[in-house]
Structures are given as structure tokens and as C-alpha cells.
Amino acid sequence: MKAFGYRTDGVAADAFTEIELPTPKPASDEVVIDVAAFGLNHVDAFRRSGFSGGRATIPGFDVAGTVSAAGKRVTNFQVGDEVVAHIEGGGYAEQTVAPESTTIKLTEGFPIADAAGLPTVAMTSYDALTVFGQVQAGQTVAVLGASGGIGAMAVQFAKALGASRVIGIARAEDLDYVRQIGANDVATYAQVTEDGAFADSADVVINVNFMGGHADAMMALVKLGGTVATVGREESAGNKPNVEQVHIHPIDASHVRQAMQALKQLMDTGSLSVRIAKRFPFTLAGVVAASELNETGHTDGRIIVERDVK
């Protein structure tokens, strides 16, 4: 089968190559997925930049496709099921294996290729809200970076978790989209000030902007005694007392299954939205171009490589 990987670090155009691999076989608790599409994430680039050489590495954590084989202990899937999965690498390929525990069946009618853009952002946003933000029903949640992949999922998960009010903070050109996915109120960063309409309004502030930032906006939004959870490492909580500030970071694998099941529940409501920034073809040139865009760190939505794109 065809796959795309690297044996060295460096820029995408120099590092990636097409690799021929044997068809994978599932362990007893795994499924084999014929990959329709895979999604790209920042971690893909980070891992390649730190690669020291050696055996070929096939990246890719988010895949969607059709089950073509199942291990003998698998009970939730059968051949022909359309699924999306989070895996620990190996997704940039025509076929891959995925644990049953981190694979979910797609709701009928959900676009199979679009699903490839979901697992990692779903895991990150769900953990941000439930583990780091500890959001409770009835609270007000503010999401900075609400139009991006993680932020958009955070808005939708916050509503599903029972937040009574979700405030989405994004660029002006993205506010309509943020409102469409469920935010009760929207604002630009310039509109979030210490004496503005949204000051001291959020029980929990989630900042999922790439590399963090916007410390002033976070502190303007959070209530006294509230929580700020951010992917950045801002050190100052300003002059607000009793504001808990936590750093969003990867946690153990046991949370992956929980996040994927929460994603399944949200998908089953029929309201789940994922914005695709760009689709690339399943070719070496497509993988290189997708990787180069991914490494800019700034896209309006998810980046996927799709078998049906020419």
C-alpha cells in the first residue's frame, strides 16, 4: 500500500517521500481502516522537526474511512462501517490500524472526509473544558480563538456540556461563523476590555489560540474566582484575586476514549460543524503542500488530505 513519510527532518518538500508498505493486519482489539482522508495537526510538524533519522516514519493522528478488517475481540464495528479514529501515527497512508477504543462510527450522512479533521481538535477542546476548565452546567464560558479548529469545537462542546452562555472571541470576519456554531455572544479582541460589555462575565475562559497570547483579554473576561485555561504560558493573572490559571497540555491516553465518545454524541445530534480550510489530493505533492500550509500555524479551519481530491 502507498504511504507518505520521512526518514529525515527538514522542510516538507525535502523530507517527505512516497513509501510502499505491506497491508496492515489488526491486533485483536483493532480495526483496519481504508483511509478516505486524514487530517493534519501542528504536532505533525513538531515531531518531524525533532526527528533524528532512522526508520521511515509515517505521521498522522486523525483518519476517516471504511473498516476493511477487524480483530477477533472487536465488537462495535464490522467491515463496511464508516468511521473516524484517533491513532498514534501512521495515518498518512491508504490503510491504517486503529484501536477500537478510539474509533467511532460516523453518523449517517456525515461527510466522511470532513470527519478526518475532527479527532485531535475534539480531544484538545474537550480536555480544555472538562479537565482544565472544569466547566459545569449553567456557567458562562468564553472561548478565545473561537473560529479555529480547536476553538470551534470548544464552542460546540461547551454548549453540549450545559454552559448557559458561550462568548466567542475571534477576528471580525469570523464572527458570523462563530455565532452559527452556537455562541450566544461574539466579540473581536479589540472589544474585550476591562470596562467593556464582556468584562468580568465568564466563569471559565478557554484560550486556544496557537501559542496562546491575549492575556489582557483573558483577564478582562474572567470573573473574580474564575478559571483561565490557555495553551500559552502567560505568567500573570493580573490584579484579579482568586483567578486560577492553568496550562492546557496533552494528558494520558485514557482521556482519548472519553473525548471520542463525546464527539460521537455531538455528531449524533446532527448539529456538529467542522470547517475545512483546504483539501489536498492524496499525492506526494498534496502532502507536501498540505504540510507547508499546516506549518504556517494560521488557517481558517482544518487541513485534510483526501483520496477523492484530484
Side-chain angles (χ1 to χ4, degrees):
M1 69 165 189
K2 181 167 68 176
F4 303 101
Y6 49 86
R7 294 185 174 88
T8 182
D9 62 359
V11 298
D14 294 336
F16 275 105
T17 186
E18 185 175 315
I19 299 170
E20 193 67 25
L21 295 175
T23 300
K25 299 183 183 300
S28 62
D29 60 349
E30 293 178 329
V31 295
V32 176
I33 300 174
D34 287 345
V35 176
F38 59 82
L40 279 73
N41 296 285
H42 296 311
V43 68
D44 298 356
F46 292 153
R47 290 201 174 185
R48 194 181 80 246
S49 66
F51 187 67
S52 58
R55 295 180 59 185
T57 293
I58 311 300
F61 295 88
D62 298 344
V63 296
T66 304
V67 174
S68 60
K72 61 183 180 181
R73 291 170 50 198
V74 171
T75 59
N76 293 316
F77 305 102
Q78 58 187 10
V79 172
D81 284 344
E82 292 186 343
V83 297
V84 59
H86 176 78
I87 59 177
E88 291 301 319
Y92 289 22
E94 291 180 315
Q95 292 181 302
T96 192
V97 293
E100 180 181 27
S101 62
T102 60
T103 302
I104 59 172
K105 191 180 298 185
L106 295 183
T107 303
E108 185 175 355
F110 195 91
I112 189 169
D114 291 8
L118 288 169
T120 292
V121 295
M123 289 162 43
T124 305
S125 59
Y126 188 75
D127 287 346
L129 292 162
T130 60
V131 177
F132 300 104
Q134 298 187 12
V135 170
Q136 304 296 315
Q139 288 186 320
T140 294
V141 177
V143 179
L144 281 72
S147 64
I150 300 172
M153 281 303 309
V155 169
Q156 295 173 83
F157 270 140
K159 297 295 286 187
L161 290 166
S164 60
R165 183 188 184 197
V166 176
I167 305 168
I169 313 301
R171 298 175 303 178
E173 58 266 35
D174 293 320
L175 295 184
D176 285 344
Y177 170 71
V178 176
R179 190 178 285 108
Q180 289 169 13
I181 60 175
N184 301 93
D185 296 292
V186 297
T188 64
Y189 293 95
Q191 292 172 322
V192 179
T193 61
E194 290 184 356
D195 55 359
F198 299 106
D200 304 314
S201 58
D203 299 285
V204 179
V205 176
I206 303 293
N207 182 5
V208 292
N209 279 291
F210 184 58
M211 301 305 288
H214 303 289
D216 290 346
M218 292 191 299
M219 293 308 140
L221 285 161
V222 69
K223 292 179 179 179
L224 300 180
T227 299
V228 169
T230 174
V231 296
R233 294 182 179 274
E234 286 81 4
E235 296 178 354
S236 172
N239 58 4
K240 285 189 177 179
N242 303 318
V243 170
E244 181 181 10
Q245 189 163 343
V246 294
H247 172 60
I248 300 168
H249 60 272
I251 49 181
D252 65 79
S254 66
H255 290 266
V256 177
R257 182 182 182 280
Q258 297 175 34
M260 292 298 287
Q261 290 304 311
L263 176 62
K264 170 63 174 170
Q265 292 172 11
L266 187 56
M267 187 181 292
D268 285 347
T269 68
S271 64
L272 175 62
S273 173
V274 55
R275 182 160 66 165
I276 305 301
K278 192 163 185 180
R279 305 170 191 272
F280 291 88
F282 191 85
T283 62
L284 179 58
V287 169
V288 168
S291 298
E292 290 173 343
L293 179 59
N294 182 47
E295 288 161 29
T296 67
H298 301 285
T299 57
D300 291 325
R302 308 292 292 135
I303 302 168
I304 60 173
V305 171
E306 186 176 349
R307 296 279 288 275
D308 287 344
V309 171
K310 303 301 182 184

